[in-house]
Amino acid sequence: MSKLGELEVLLIDAKGLVDTDAIGKIDPYVEIQYRDQEQKSKISRDQGRNPSWNQKFKFKVHFPFLENAIQHKLILRIMDYDTFTSDDFLGLATINVGDVIALGIEKGFRELQPTKYRVVRQDKSYHGEIRVGVSFRLKVSISLALVYYLSYDILNEWEYIISIQMANVTRLCSTKSILTVNGQFPGPKIVAREGDRVVVNVTNHAQYNVTIHWHGVRQLRSGWADGPAYVTQCPIQTGQSYIYNFTIIGQRGTLFWHAHISWLRATLYGPIIILPKLGLPYPFTKPYKELPVIFGEWWKADTEAIISQALQTGAGPNVSDAYTINGLPGPLYTSCSTKDTFKLKVKPGKTYLLRLINAAVNDELFFSIANHSVTVVDVDAAYVKPFDAATILISPGQTSNVLLRTKRSYPMAMFFMTARPYSNGAVGTYDNSTVAGILEYENPKSFSSAAFNKNLSLYKPSLPVFNDTSFAASFSGKLRSLATAQFPAKVLQTVDRRFFFTVGLGMSPCPANQTCQGPNGSKFAASVNNISFATPTTMALLQAHYFGKTKGVYTTDFPVYPLMPFNYTGTPPNNTLVSNGTKVVALPFNTSVELVLQDTSILGAESHPLHLHGYNFFVVGQGSGNYDPTKDPAKFNLVDPVERNTVGVPAGGWVAIRFLADNPGVWFMHCHIEAHLSWGLKMAWVVQDGSLPTQKLPPPPSDLPKC
């Protein structure tokens, strides 16, 4: 076994093979990859010269810290770069340490052969990708600009180095400074396979304190890496770093990462792509290509100032100015937003996997592609029984993989891809605008390098009305776990503990000598079982739990059912004020839990996408009106209910979930509508250690941020 070492690759003059001919190291903005043979290779200006298309670049491989280095070999995995799915593996190329790699680049559009490699030198405004398999234990530290694959022993590890920094971005005719990762908006993707370890070294160069949450990742025995501020960690302060270390277990599909403090996730977010284990195909048609489609919101103003003002005055926060697809608002807003339009360019007769992510701050969204339907195959990184849909409903915090099958022949048209809000609440206003991208077909008969005709008819989809609750109920009712022998639905048939939580909006009294702009001169508030959660500031909940220093941080007397029952979806009680506190529910390890979440109509019925950290759960039942504990359980689906990490509690209705508390730590549960989260619609579960070493929370890492 070799020592841990750094992988160093030197760029060598193509005419020479000696060290003195080195042009320089390959830095984090160089890409080594196999490219689909129908794509033309590129060499950027950063190469320091103007090479011809038929030039070969040669790289000498050095492993300076390895014992008996000459006995080890570097294995490059040749993959179909455009899709990079498990069954796109094309072969291996073995390079001995000290060998020179000749990466051929051939002239012409369709002459790049599958046995060749290419090298692309990227400037720092573009972040390429590298995927390399190494047959021995080796540590490689590179920028998040590179995505790479390490294979050694049993464990695969992906390491990312990211920088939180401010960057100027222009949208809707105006420019503002926003929080980004590596200057990218949206942020770069995190890629791993099921069973892999992911290590992310985050350094904060911005003026805001920051945390990163890996939304939907189970974090089995790695709660220190979960990310919500003051729940599992104190924020990363300016100039400080923190390493998030976790393993992907039993998940494959699409999740996403985002900031988890204040409203910083308005711009600080990006996709998490979890590929199946190597050699394990998808349980659906192999896609020709895959790509993330991320929905977001854009404010011209500073979102930190918006939520700060709202909390001060007690009013609802100002709504966004636009929705975005992959950071772009599209042509339906202003004349200058037309250039900022997401375009999905496709070929006829192909299948594309769209990885949908709702990273919007405050809104559930309908999404549709004109004259096309999609097949839903996955939600929240869990496979579902496939079904076709012309329109998708996706709540903040939810993800979904859908297959888009393009038309068999060139349609001589373009098609809008649009999204707009689903809003059924009676409280406040919402951004009632529509974001649009464009689906464009490549004309197979065109010999143009672009092969896309801009002078075509443009079709628009028809979306449900903004408050179409019947569509929402129908769509969610179609979601069922795949429930096969290979991917079983492990639904709890019995439970140890039952909980009944009300979720909804309420009011807090206006402080003395202040004028408030909430209902009846009060402040907007939100609660779970009428407890509006007060976030600690001196110590994170997980630290207090682990070190036994809970006094003054939290109490374990969170009510398991409403202390003052009422007609939850009918006439509200006279007292609509919420209580405040930092209260949690404590659970013994391996407790089986059933939780009913009931919406209330105190300030008007409204749907709430509830997200549970650290767990997936099964949605065993849902309905309208008040939950009936004597009749409704008989209707529960205990065979193939959908498995999720974020579920929409219906407006004026209820949802029932089940999960096994097999992950020790402190786990946040909250509404993923950021306004409701800011008002207090959140709580936490404390899951105790089990008796075995593998059932206990490990100690915190040495670099855990301090408050």
Side-chain angles (χ1 to χ4, degrees):
M1 180 61 66
S2 63
K3 294 180 180 178
L4 292 178
E6 300 292 325
L7 172 63
E8 180 184 25
V9 184
L10 296 182
L11 177 60
I12 306 297
D13 186 334
K15 296 180 180 179
L17 301 179
V18 296
D19 291 343
T20 55
D21 289 323
I23 298 172
K25 286 186 180 181
I26 296 181
D27 70 3
Y29 300 94
V30 166
E31 177 178 355
I32 301 176
Q33 65 192 29
Y34 165 78
R35 188 72 169 181
D36 180 2
Q37 65 180 8
E38 294 183 356
Q39 298 294 321
K40 195 172 185 178
S41 296
K42 298 178 181 178
I43 305 170
S44 88
R45 61 186 183 279
D46 270 10
Q47 205 67 49
R49 50 188 171 172
N50 296 310
S52 61
W53 278 106
N54 60 3
Q55 186 169 2
K56 293 182 183 294
F57 294 92
K58 300 180 180 181
F59 297 84
K60 191 166 183 178
V61 181
H62 293 270
F63 299 94
F65 304 113
L66 299 180
E67 294 176 334
N68 300 320
I70 199 65
Q71 299 178 8
H72 299 286
K73 295 180 179 180
L74 177 66
I75 307 297
L76 295 182
R77 295 185 181 275
I78 309 171
M79 308 295 291
D80 180 340
Y81 170 71
D82 286 322
T83 56
F84 194 51
T85 55
S86 59
D87 46 0
D88 286 326
F89 176 69
L90 300 177
L92 295 175
T94 303
I95 300 96
N96 290 298
V97 172
D99 281 358
V100 173
I101 312 171
L103 299 114
I105 301 174
E106 296 196 359
K107 186 176 181 181
F109 183 63
R110 299 180 183 273
E111 296 180 13
L112 187 63
Q113 299 302 311
T115 55
K116 297 291 179 68
Y117 309 89
R118 77 177 179 113
V119 175
V120 178
R121 180 97 160 102
Q122 309 285 10
D123 64 34
K124 294 190 177 183
S125 66
Y126 180 87
H127 299 277
E129 301 183 355
I130 181 171
R131 295 180 172 100
V132 179
V134 182
S135 60
F136 51 86
R137 189 175 183 87
L138 175 69
K139 178 180 172 63
V140 183
S141 297
I142 55 179
S143 161
L144 186 68
L146 302 178
V147 180
Y148 63 94
Y149 179 67
L150 290 181
S151 173
Y152 54 89
D153 299 334
I154 298 175
L155 177 66
N156 299 330
E157 181 174 306
W158 304 64
E159 182 177 345
Y160 300 87
I161 301 173
I162 69 177
S163 171
I164 308 296
Q165 60 193 63
M166 304 302 293
N168 289 332
V169 174
T170 301
R171 297 289 186 271
L172 305 179
C173 311
S174 64
T175 301
K176 72 172 184 176
S177 183
I178 66 171
L179 201 62
T180 70
V181 163
N182 295 355
Q184 290 182 258
F185 172 70
K189 59 188 174 186
I190 298 289
V191 181
R193 289 192 181 276
E194 179 187 354
D196 289 354
R197 176 184 292 164
V198 177
V199 179
V200 188
N201 190 331
V202 178
T203 301
N204 182 13
H205 295 291
Q207 68 265 38
Y208 302 105
N209 292 339
V210 174
T211 69
I212 302 294
H213 170 51
W214 316 97
H215 183 107
V217 174
R218 282 259 3 229
Q219 299 289 3
L220 284 164
R221 298 181 64 240
S222 56
W224 304 108
D226 191 40
Y230 302 107
V231 178
T232 61
Q233 68 167 96
C234 296
I236 307 169
Q237 299 180 32
T238 302
Q240 301 299 309
S241 298
Y242 181 49
I243 297 176
Y244 293 93
N245 191 329
F246 54 89
T247 301
I248 307 293
I249 298 177
Q251 296 176 287
R252 78 293 299 170
T254 304
L255 299 171
F256 71 116
W257 58 265
H258 61 78
H260 210 305
I261 181 171
S262 190
W263 277 26
L264 297 183
R265 76 172 182 89
T267 61
L268 202 61
Y269 60 83
I272 300 176
I273 310 301
I274 306 176
L275 302 170
K277 292 180 179 179
L278 198 63
L280 186 65
Y282 292 130
F284 47 79
T285 303
K286 175 190 172 182
Y288 172 69
K289 286 187 180 180
E290 305 178 12
L291 71 155
V293 177
I294 313 174
F295 304 106
E297 287 185 82
W298 181 264
W299 280 260
K300 292 182 179 180
D302 177 15
T303 52
E304 289 304 281
I306 288 172
I307 185 55
S308 176
Q309 180 185 34
L311 294 177
Q312 176 68 26
T313 64
N318 292 340
V319 301
S320 58
D321 295 294
Y323 298 105
T324 59
I325 299 177
N326 288 351
L328 302 172
L332 303 183
Y333 288 101
T334 65
S335 58
C336 64
S337 70
T338 301
K339 63 181 178 59
D340 295 324
T341 300
F342 171 69
K343 295 181 180 180
L344 175 56
K345 298 184 178 182
V346 299
K347 296 180 179 181
K350 301 290 186 180
T351 298
Y352 293 79
L353 179 66
L354 307 184
R355 297 177 178 270
L356 306 181
I357 299 169
N358 189 345
V361 176
N362 289 319
D363 289 289
E364 301 175 87
L365 295 170
F366 295 117
F367 171 68
S368 182
I369 304 175
N371 293 12
H372 291 73
S373 64
V374 296
T375 302
V376 181
V377 294
D378 175 298
V379 296
D380 291 0
Y383 295 135
V384 298
K385 288 181 172 65
F387 67 93
D388 294 337
T391 300
I392 297 294
L393 175 61
I394 186 167
S395 297
Q398 291 184 338
T399 62
S400 183
N401 283 358
V402 302
L403 296 177
L404 169 65
R405 294 178 177 87
T406 58
K407 298 182 182 299
R408 289 182 176 274
S409 58
Y410 181 60
M412 293 292 293
M414 295 189 296
F415 307 91
F416 264 144
M417 311 163 55
T418 60
R420 74 179 182 204
Y422 164 57
S423 179
N424 45 41
V427 180
T429 58
Y430 63 96
D431 178 359
N432 192 26
S433 65
T434 301
V435 59
I438 296 177
L439 180 71
E440 293 184 359
Y441 276 77
E442 178 180 342
N443 187 347
K445 296 181 180 180
S446 172
F447 293 98
S448 165
S449 59
F452 293 96
N453 189 338
K454 307 300 181 184
N455 301 313
L456 298 174
S457 300
L458 180 58
Y459 291 91
K460 299 180 180 179
S462 177
L463 290 169
V465 296
F466 75 95
N467 60 352
D468 195 339
T469 55
S470 62
F471 177 91
S474 174
F475 182 82
S476 61
K478 295 176 183 177
L479 294 169
R480 293 284 187 272
S481 288
L482 190 58
T484 61
Q486 187 176 17
F487 303 105
K490 299 178 181 179
V491 191
L492 295 172
Q493 300 299 305
T494 61
V495 294
D496 301 321
R497 298 283 305 275
R498 286 184 167 85
F499 299 87
F500 182 82
F501 290 176
T502 57
V503 293
L505 306 184
M507 298 182 294
S508 290
C510 189
N513 302 318
Q514 182 179 334
T515 300
C516 294
Q517 299 173 16
N520 301 319
S522 67
K523 286 188 168 187
F524 273 117
S527 66
V528 181
N529 272 356
N530 207 46
I531 305 295
S532 186
F533 189 83
T535 304
T537 57
T538 59
M539 180 182 291
L541 298 179
L542 187 57
Q543 290 173 287
H545 162 66
Y546 184 84
F547 293 108
K549 297 181 179 180
T550 61
K551 186 176 181 180
V553 181
Y554 70 81
T555 60
T556 57
D557 57 345
F558 189 91
V560 299
Y561 53 83
L563 298 181
M564 299 180 64
F566 61 98
N567 182 2
Y568 306 114
T569 57
T571 303
N574 293 328
N575 183 7
T576 59
L577 297 178
V578 302
S579 301
N580 295 281
T582 310
K583 300 176 184 291
V584 305
V585 173
L587 294 172
F589 182 82
N590 254 6
T591 301
S592 54
V593 174
E594 179 181 288
L595 170 62
V596 175
L597 296 161
Q598 172 73 62
D599 181 42
T600 66
S601 58
I602 291 176
L603 293 181
E606 191 160 350
S607 63
H608 301 279
L610 262 290
H611 173 50
L612 176 60
H613 290 227
Y615 289 93
N616 277 7
F617 49 77
F618 288 99
V619 183
V620 297
Q622 59 184 1
S624 59
N626 294 338
Y627 173 73
D628 187 333
T630 60
K631 296 181 180 180
D632 287 327
K635 307 171 189 175
F636 284 177
N637 176 7
L638 303 181
V639 177
D640 62 350
V642 67
E643 184 178 359
R644 305 213 71 142
N645 63 63
T646 304
V647 64
V649 181
W654 57 272
V655 66
I657 66 174
R658 288 186 177 184
F659 66 94
L660 181 65
D662 60 353
N663 193 9
V666 178
W667 304 107
F668 210 20
M669 189 177 78
H670 59 88
C671 182
H672 221 272
I673 292 176
E674 211 66 27
H676 299 172
L677 174 62
S678 300
W679 291 336
L681 209 164
K682 47 192 172 181
M683 56 84 63
W685 304 82
V686 174
V687 179
Q688 307 292 344
D689 284 346
S691 57
L692 301 177
T694 56
Q695 299 172 342
K696 299 181 186 299
L697 178 69
S702 59
D703 62 340
L704 187 72
K706 296 178 173 57
C707 288

